[in-house]
Amino acid sequence: MRRSTQHADRPSPVPGPPDDVARVVDAVHGLPGRPLPGVQAEALARALGGCLEATTVTIALWLPLPAGHEADATVDHTVEEYRWPATDAEATAPVTGATPVRLRDGEQVLADLVIEPPPAAERLRRWPELHAVTRLLVSDIQAQLVTAAAERLIGQSVLLLADTRLRAAGEMEHQRYQLERDLHDGAQHHMVALQMSLAMVEHQLDAGNTAEAGQHLDRLRELLASTEEVLHTTATGLLAPLADHGLVAALTARLEALDTVTLDIDPELVGYRYLPEVEAAVYLACLEAVSNAHKHAPGAAVTLTLATSRRGLSFEVADTGPGFDTEGRMPLRQLAARLASVDGTLTVRSSPTTGTRVSGFVAL
């Protein structure tokens, strides 16, 4: 009679003390509070060491690759290890390179358990109840670690979204401020000139000078067309003419059509280009100074002087208006701040009956 040898190479199950399985479960689930997964894994390694009479137990958990990890054809997971005893100095037997006990959930690998000495590892393999309980506990610990990693990723995403929204709001606010400043610098003096021309038309009509009123109406039409162009330029980019044609050409295009403004520009500046930030600061400062002169000294003659030297670029906007008492204070702080952004300086000189001079200088 022949005896079947189909399962002769498989070790027979060896039951252990029944209380040991419960002791392993209690070691993990009986931890106080809400223990972290790592604390649970350490408790499980310690409990297994006691049940199996092992000298060392290492639980190498398999975890999915973190988000953003550069893919490697040979690597599809990371490993997080928990060891008992915590240091080699506490171990009572040397590591002999035992074959790991691999725990699976179907096709998914949960962890590799390296247990020393080898007979202790073999005891786990032949103890089905303890093996099953260990697999369930490891599966739960692994799930907690994966969930924690996902929550961290979600938290980072929320912070990134909040930061992106904050940056977008800041950029919108900056653009709004930039538009306000461009309107102030580019269109305001045209609006002031329109008001002055309209007042002159009314004055001539009241005086019965219809011919003079007609001339001022023609001037008013020109200013309206110019203002429309300025508003269009502001909408599409106030500094576009400056970038395309340079400081002298941009200032001439904006100011030479104004009857009350005289341009005195150094011939050496024609066609000469400076750094874009310097040209923008001086250009906008000149427009604002002229606009202020029209606003506070209506009808007064205004002269813009633009000169260059070895020291740098300078400008002056002088008007023949009534002037004012500066009383030791520095007016036009916004204009001064604009020039300071390119290491320039601003000087305002004025007194009653002497007019006002706004001078700027940028060292080059």
Side-chain angles (χ1 to χ4, degrees):
M1 178 175 178
R2 297 179 59 184
R3 187 182 247 178
S4 173
T5 59
Q6 183 177 359
H7 302 291
D9 57 340
R10 293 186 180 180
S12 301
V14 177
D19 292 342
D20 280 356
V21 175
R23 193 174 298 120
V24 170
V25 175
D26 289 342
V28 177
H29 288 178
L31 292 170
R34 300 180 61 183
L36 296 174
V39 175
Q40 296 178 6
E42 293 170 355
L44 176 59
R46 182 169 56 252
L48 287 174
C51 290
L52 300 173
E53 299 179 359
T55 56
T56 63
V57 176
T58 301
I59 302 176
L61 286 167
W62 284 34
L63 300 173
L65 291 174
H69 183 85
E70 294 184 2
D72 186 337
T74 62
V75 177
D76 61 358
H77 67 279
T78 61
V79 175
E80 193 164 325
E81 291 191 351
Y82 300 91
R83 181 181 174 85
W84 174 86
T87 63
D88 289 339
E90 298 173 0
T92 58
V95 176
T96 61
T99 302
V101 178
R102 177 156 290 182
L103 303 178
R104 294 178 178 271
D105 183 5
E107 295 298 324
Q108 179 186 359
V109 177
L110 301 175
D112 287 327
L113 272 59
V114 180
I115 302 172
E116 294 287 350
E122 186 64 23
R123 194 172 297 122
L124 177 62
R125 290 190 181 94
R126 299 175 62 188
W127 193 345
E129 294 85 1
L130 183 60
H131 188 282
V133 165
T134 301
R135 181 180 62 80
L136 291 173
L137 292 172
V138 166
S139 177
D140 181 58
I141 292 170
Q142 185 201 55
Q144 291 183 58
L145 287 169
V146 171
T147 301
E151 289 175 347
R152 286 195 298 271
L153 181 61
I154 292 172
Q156 293 170 359
S157 300
V158 170
L159 290 176
L160 179 61
L161 179 60
D163 181 67
T164 302
R165 287 176 173 172
L166 183 61
R167 289 176 182 272
E171 180 63 23
M172 291 174 63
E173 180 64 18
H174 172 73
Q175 292 178 0
R176 184 190 65 80
Y177 171 75
Q178 184 68 40
L179 180 59
E180 289 179 352
R181 193 171 71 174
D182 289 350
L183 286 171
H184 176 272
D185 294 337
Q188 178 172 300
H189 74 278
H190 282 264
M191 303 304 293
V192 171
L194 283 172
Q195 292 175 347
M196 291 174 56
S197 294
L198 184 59
M200 290 299 298
V201 171
E202 292 176 344
H203 174 72
Q204 296 297 339
L205 287 176
D206 290 341
N209 299 325
T210 56
E212 292 290 335
Q215 293 178 2
H216 283 288
L217 280 174
D218 292 337
R219 175 62 184 150
L220 187 58
R221 293 189 187 96
E222 294 176 1
L223 284 174
L224 282 171
S226 176
T227 302
E228 181 181 3
E229 180 183 353
V230 168
L231 291 174
H232 173 73
T233 302
T234 300
T236 57
L238 177 65
L239 301 181
L242 180 68
D244 294 339
H245 306 294
L247 181 61
V248 172
L251 284 174
T252 301
R254 283 296 178 86
L255 301 176
E256 70 174 352
L258 301 179
D259 292 338
T260 58
V261 177
T262 300
L263 299 180
D264 182 8
I265 298 177
D266 189 339
E268 292 187 13
L269 283 170
V270 177
Y272 191 83
R273 301 303 301 267
Y274 293 93
L275 291 174
E277 56 270 25
V278 172
E279 288 190 340
V282 173
Y283 174 67
L284 295 174
C286 288
L287 291 184
E288 183 171 348
V290 171
S291 177
N292 282 331
H294 282 155
K295 182 177 179 180
H296 299 291
V302 179
T303 301
L304 168 61
T305 303
L306 194 64
T308 185
S309 67
R310 293 181 179 180
R311 294 177 55 243
L313 178 63
S314 62
F315 70 87
E316 181 183 77
V317 176
D319 66 64
T320 58
F324 62 96
D325 188 356
T326 60
E327 298 179 350
R329 57 189 174 87
M330 175 59 189
L332 305 179
R333 293 185 181 275
Q334 184 178 2
L335 196 155
R338 188 190 301 282
L339 287 175
S341 67
V342 291
D343 296 327
T345 57
L346 182 75
T347 303
V348 180
R349 298 184 180 89
S350 184
S351 62
T353 73
T354 64
T356 302
R357 293 178 179 271
V358 178
S359 303
F361 177 77
V362 179
L364 301 172

